[in-house]
Amino acid sequence: MCSQQDEFSLFNKQKTSIDTTCVKCKERISIILVGTSGAYCRACFSEYFTHKFRATIGKNPIIRRNSNVALAFSGGNCSAASLDLLVKGLAMETQKKLRYQIGLLFVDESCLHENPDGSAELTQQVENLMKKSGLPYHTVKLEKVLGMAYCTEKQKIELQQESDENMKMMRTNLQTIFKSIKTLTAKQEILTRIRSRLLSLEAKRLGFGYVITGESNSRLAITTLCSVVFGRDGNSLQQDCSFSDGHRCQIAGGVHILRPMKNTAAKEVVAYNNLHKVSCPTMFIFRVRKIIPLAGLGQFKTSW
């Protein structure tokens, strides 16, 4: 057993604070505490943050050279930071340039929002930000997932024709599904699952081989706790929180979903965005509390 005099005891750990010398360069004044690593100055923190993002991708050599990669962009802090890092990684002056073809994919969840005017304004802000990046981008409505999954093959062929009548019917069906769900936890779980499924299927339809999401370790910790509460086994937890989702999306007909921000805390993401003036239209596009209250799932399958 450890004694109170043990040099590794937490009681003997020296407290670190900002306004001290940076632990890396030993020259400039630190501005942010990074976990147990110590306090970093502005320049060293930016280098540390960028290296962590690129190292996570490098340690998991799943993405092949010159592959088409879609970034799931929502306008939040994590996806905005991921976009900034990818754009800088594609720059010619970068020492180790990213050899990928990057595109942006935005899921429009306005069908679940109580205020259509407010959601339309936020959606426009996100699209303006994607256009400003100079990368090709695509917007897909959340209700379209009912025409790509959770239905029979005959229904899928009929619903994939994006007519106004089909889109209106899918929108009504999705709202009915969420109205039938009673708890906020279940609403969030269903929303997360269908969003991931839609991203994977739509990315494959557009010719992308992978989808990058901006989930930080703070968000993945919440996902893990929710999965434990729902009683999922270890294999499901591993796919929800690791760098790659394994072959789950591929089995379901989509592409890999990757999480290069999985080792980054939400605090670090916010600090990076503030230091580099990264624009974030909103932290969460549509809060779960604003989702229309939840009736039976009807003919749509929800086992994925």
Side-chain angles (χ1 to χ4, degrees), residues 61 105 141 152 187 205 212 234 240 242 249 251 259 262 266:
L105 188 56
K141 292 187 177 297
T152 63
K187 288 180 185 181
R205 189 185 71 83
I212 289 179
D240 286 339
S242 62
C249 286
I251 293 173
R259 308 178 183 92
K262 74 181 187 71

Side-chain angles (χ1 to χ4, degrees), residues 70-297:
L71 171 65
F73 188 76
S74 65
N77 278 309
C78 292
S79 61
S82 299
L83 174 59
D84 186 71
L85 291 169
L86 289 173
V87 170
K88 290 178 179 177
L90 293 172
M92 291 299 295
E93 62 271 13
T94 304
Q95 183 179 4
K96 295 182 179 180
K97 182 181 177 181
L98 294 176
R99 306 292 178 179
Y100 310 139
Q101 304 298 322
I102 306 294
L104 304 179
L105 188 56
F106 171 62
V107 177
D108 183 3
E109 302 171 3
S110 57
C111 64
L112 300 180
H113 202 274
E114 291 180 340
N115 183 6
D117 296 332
S119 64
E121 182 180 352
L122 290 173
T123 301
Q124 187 60 46
Q125 291 180 20
V126 173
E127 290 184 351
N128 292 338
L129 198 58
M130 292 191 293
K131 185 176 181 179
K132 185 179 178 181
S133 70
L135 298 174
Y137 66 91
H138 178 74
T139 300
V140 58
K141 292 187 177 297
L142 183 65
E143 57 265 32
K144 190 179 176 182
V145 72
L146 299 182
M148 305 175 73
Y150 311 121
C151 58
T152 63
E153 290 298 325
K154 182 179 179 180
Q155 292 172 332
K156 189 179 296 186
I157 295 174
E158 295 175 353
L159 294 174
Q160 281 180 347
Q161 301 175 1
E162 295 186 15
S163 63
D164 293 339
E165 183 179 353
N166 284 343
M167 294 301 294
K168 184 177 180 180
M169 182 181 66
M170 289 187 288
R171 183 187 185 96
T172 302
N173 288 336
L174 188 61
Q175 290 174 347
T176 302
I177 291 172
F178 275 86
K179 286 178 182 178
S180 67
I181 305 176
K182 305 303 179 184
T183 64
L184 291 176
T185 303
K187 288 180 185 181
Q188 180 65 69
E189 178 66 14
I190 292 294
L191 178 60
T192 300
R193 295 292 170 183
I194 64 175
R195 186 197 293 124
S196 297
R197 185 73 176 272
L198 177 60
L199 284 171
S200 180
L201 294 173
E202 186 68 9
K204 184 175 182 179
R205 189 185 71 83
L206 295 173
F208 293 103
Y210 310 89
V211 175
I212 289 179
T213 62
E215 296 168 281
S216 64
N217 63 6
S218 305
R219 170 55 54 186
L220 293 179
I222 296 173
T223 301
T224 302
L225 292 175
C226 290
S227 296
V228 171
V229 170
F230 282 122
R232 294 200 176 91
D233 58 13
N235 183 49
S236 177
L237 289 175
Q238 188 271 338
Q239 292 178 342
D240 286 339
C241 302
S242 62
F243 175 75
S244 170
D245 64 342
H247 297 285
R248 180 169 58 187
C249 286
Q250 287 187 322
I251 293 173
V255 299
H256 274 300
I257 293 181
L258 309 178
R259 308 178 183 92
M261 303 280 283
K262 74 181 187 71
N263 296 325
T264 306
K267 169 188 172 182
E268 298 173 15
V269 175
V270 174
Y272 178 86
N273 289 343
N274 288 334
L275 291 175
H276 293 267
K277 309 299 181 184
V278 178
S279 301
C280 301
T282 179
M283 187 168 184
F284 295 104
I285 296 298
F286 306 116
R287 298 182 183 273
V288 179
R289 294 181 182 277
K290 294 297 183 181
I291 292 177
I292 299 174
L294 295 185
L297 299 182

Side-chain angles (χ1 to χ4, degrees), residues 3-20:
S3 64
Q4 291 185 356
Q5 286 74 31
D6 192 340
E7 60 178 341
F8 298 105
S9 172
L10 294 176
F11 296 102
N12 296 330
K13 184 176 177 61
Q14 268 191 337
K15 292 184 178 180
T16 309
S17 62
I18 58 174
D19 297 330
T20 58

